[in-house]
Amino acid sequence: MSGAKSAALPNRDAALRGLYDDVARGNMFPFWATSADVENDEIKQLMGTKKAVPFMWDYAKDIDPLLHRAADLIKMDDSERRSLILINPGLAPKRATVSTMYTAYRLNDPDEIMPPHKHSPSAIRFGLTGKGNFTGVEGENITFGPGDMVLTPNDTWHNHGTVGGEPAVNLSVLDLPLVENLNAIHFDHNYAELEDGKMVKKKEQTSRYPSDYSQRVYGEGGMLPRFADHKRGSGLSSPMYVYRWDRMEELLDRHKDWDGDPYEALMAEYVDPTTGNPVFKTITFFAQMLRPGEKTLPLRQTASLLVAPFRGKGYSIVDGQRFDWKEFDTLAVPGGAWCEHVNGSDKDPVFLFVASDEPTLKVLALYKKWGRDKAGDMVRLA
């Protein structure tokens, strides 16, 4: 039917309703703008999908008590996992803290070790409390403490737990929501090793590397041993599986008198030592230092951030909303939100641990970055 004849129908509104109903029943979406008809404003519907919102989770008040209650009630005989995933209210019930990543907190009782598994999402563990957080990655048994970051890369066997007779807490960041949207999720719990020519199922990985392998081989920036295997595991990530906090803090402290960046203060990225690129192809991680009393200028970027204060307290302003934080909290900063950070102390520095989906956006040519200068004018940064 032509457009002219359609407009001449005696009951066009009823005909349109029938058209929309038939389109919906056919599992289709009408992408045309008709008029000021609010119910069928297709542009608003397309733009009205669920989006992450700025939000903060309080570790001391909300997360820590729930972790201890769960540890009392859920034992390893009940489940191999005991983590709390942070769900963004704008994305609920989807397991996502921002659109592409989630943060989860984990408390392990003394000397709990879970069986090995692997999966397609890339993940890290970041130590918060206790000296005995444990992760075995592809035969490298890593014990880590507060501030240490451990990789559990895409398709690489690993297991988690604690050693040393005391409980420990860590947080993890995964790109699972992104991988889930791409329909590329897989998990494997059937770990086996070759023994006498046969694959034998195992509950623990056999140690194949010294416990200090990552630091011994990759711990000296600018010098790379040619005799080491840089493609161990799946070969899809940095082969350096643990990044120690003392090295990162020393680096930032060494530059505490530098000008820094007005939008990011002093910020250092964790990178693959063989390439200088982010540790994963999808997400990257930073440590950010705010000197006493330091305040960053407003920054907006298409990348989404998860900000976890590691030491100190202060506040952030995200799209005009103030969030007062302290150590071990998590702040979700959705892509496109204006954000600025303030160190609330006039004598102590603040350290933030930051996760970002920047690598994904860059490879898709979708990464953009803006700032506001001291006069309040907007400037393009990337």
Side-chain angles (χ1 to χ4, degrees):
M1 180 180 292
S2 70
K5 290 182 179 179
S6 174
L9 286 174
N11 193 345
R12 182 170 180 270
D13 289 343
L16 276 173
R17 282 195 296 273
L19 171 62
Y20 286 125
D21 289 343
D22 289 343
V23 168
R25 274 193 291 270
N27 295 303
M28 292 175 275
F29 182 84
F31 191 33
W32 55 74
T34 54
S35 63
D37 180 359
V38 175
E39 183 180 353
N40 293 297
D41 185 333
E42 292 79 22
I43 301 296
K44 286 186 177 179
Q45 288 188 42
L46 280 176
M47 299 296 290
T49 55
K50 286 187 174 183
K51 292 182 176 62
V53 298
F55 195 80
M56 195 190 80
W57 290 261
D58 188 308
Y59 176 81
K61 181 177 130 182
D62 298 322
I63 297 172
D64 188 54
L66 291 174
L67 286 175
H68 284 87
R69 287 170 61 188
D72 288 339
L73 296 171
I74 310 298
K75 301 301 179 185
M76 289 302 99
D77 291 337
D78 302 315
S79 173
E80 293 179 3
R81 288 181 177 82
R82 191 176 58 232
S83 299
L84 288 176
I85 298 173
L86 306 184
I87 295 180
N88 191 290
L91 299 172
K94 185 178 177 66
R95 294 171 300 165
T97 314
V98 288
S99 59
T100 53
M101 301 178 286
Y102 77 55
T103 290
Y105 287 75
R106 186 177 195 137
L107 166 65
N108 284 117
D109 281 336
D111 302 311
E112 285 184 328
I113 303 291
M114 291 73 170
H117 65 282
K118 65 177 181 175
H119 41 66
S120 51
S122 298
I124 61 93
R125 290 294 191 277
F126 186 79
L128 298 181
T129 70
K131 297 178 181 178
N133 277 298
F134 171 84
T135 295
V137 190
E138 202 64 35
E140 181 179 351
N141 289 334
I142 299 167
T143 301
F144 62 104
D148 295 337
M149 184 181 81
V150 178
L151 308 188
T152 54
N154 172 1
D155 211 27
T156 299
W157 288 105
H158 57 278
N159 62 336
H160 304 295
T162 55
V163 294
E166 66 174 0
V169 177
N170 60 67
L171 68 78
S172 55
V173 177
L174 287 78
D175 60 4
L176 191 145
L178 172 65
V179 180
E180 190 173 45
N181 283 339
L182 296 173
N183 196 31
I185 293 282
H186 73 75
F187 280 78
D188 189 347
H189 294 84
N190 297 313
Y191 180 71
E193 294 180 3
L194 188 65
E195 288 187 0
D196 299 325
K198 296 181 180 179
M199 296 302 293
V200 179
K201 288 187 176 181
K202 296 279 188 177
K203 291 186 177 181
E204 293 186 19
Q205 293 188 69
T206 299
S207 176
R208 301 193 305 279
Y209 296 91
S211 60
D212 65 344
Y213 183 88
S214 285
Q215 287 298 319
R216 187 190 299 184
V217 175
Y218 300 109
E220 300 297 331
M223 292 176 280
L224 189 66
R226 287 172 61 94
F227 49 82
D229 175 15
H230 303 309
K231 297 294 182 183
R232 62 190 182 132
S234 61
L236 300 175
S237 75
S238 166
M240 182 174 177
Y241 290 158
V242 58
Y243 294 74
R244 298 294 182 184
W245 176 252
D246 58 353
R247 301 289 184 92
M248 177 60 80
E249 184 174 7
E250 179 187 358
L251 169 68
L252 294 172
D253 187 67
R254 196 162 62 237
H255 295 88
K256 64 184 178 182
D257 296 325
W258 286 41
D259 290 341
D261 184 276
Y263 301 98
E264 295 182 333
L266 293 182
M267 200 167 189
E269 185 173 13
Y270 297 87
V271 299
D272 180 338
T274 67
T275 64
N277 295 327
V279 295
F280 298 137
K281 291 176 171 54
T282 51
I283 52 179
T284 190
F285 304 90
F286 306 90
Q288 188 171 12
M289 178 182 178
L290 303 177
R291 279 73 61 93
E294 188 167 17
K295 175 182 179 180
T296 62
L297 291 175
L299 177 67
R300 178 178 177 239
Q301 55 188 313
T302 51
S304 295
L305 305 179
L306 295 172
V307 180
F310 174 61
R311 189 183 301 159
K313 59 183 180 180
Y315 65 91
S316 300
I317 299 175
V318 186
D319 275 350
Q321 186 176 357
R322 175 168 167 158
F323 296 91
D324 290 273
W325 38 255
K326 56 193 176 306
E327 65 180 22
F328 306 166
D329 294 341
T330 286
L331 172 66
V333 182
W338 284 99
C339 180
E340 54 193 291
H341 302 307
V342 180
N343 181 351
S345 172
D346 59 1
K347 61 179 181 178
D348 297 317
V350 158
F351 293 95
L352 307 175
F353 178 69
V354 181
S356 171
D357 59 7
E358 182 180 309
T360 296
L361 292 163
K362 282 185 172 178
V363 79
L364 297 174
L366 296 173
Y367 183 69
K368 297 179 177 65
K369 192 176 184 180
W370 304 265
R372 292 196 183 278
D373 60 21
K374 291 182 179 179
D377 297 324
M378 190 164 70
V379 293
R380 180 72 177 266
L381 301 174

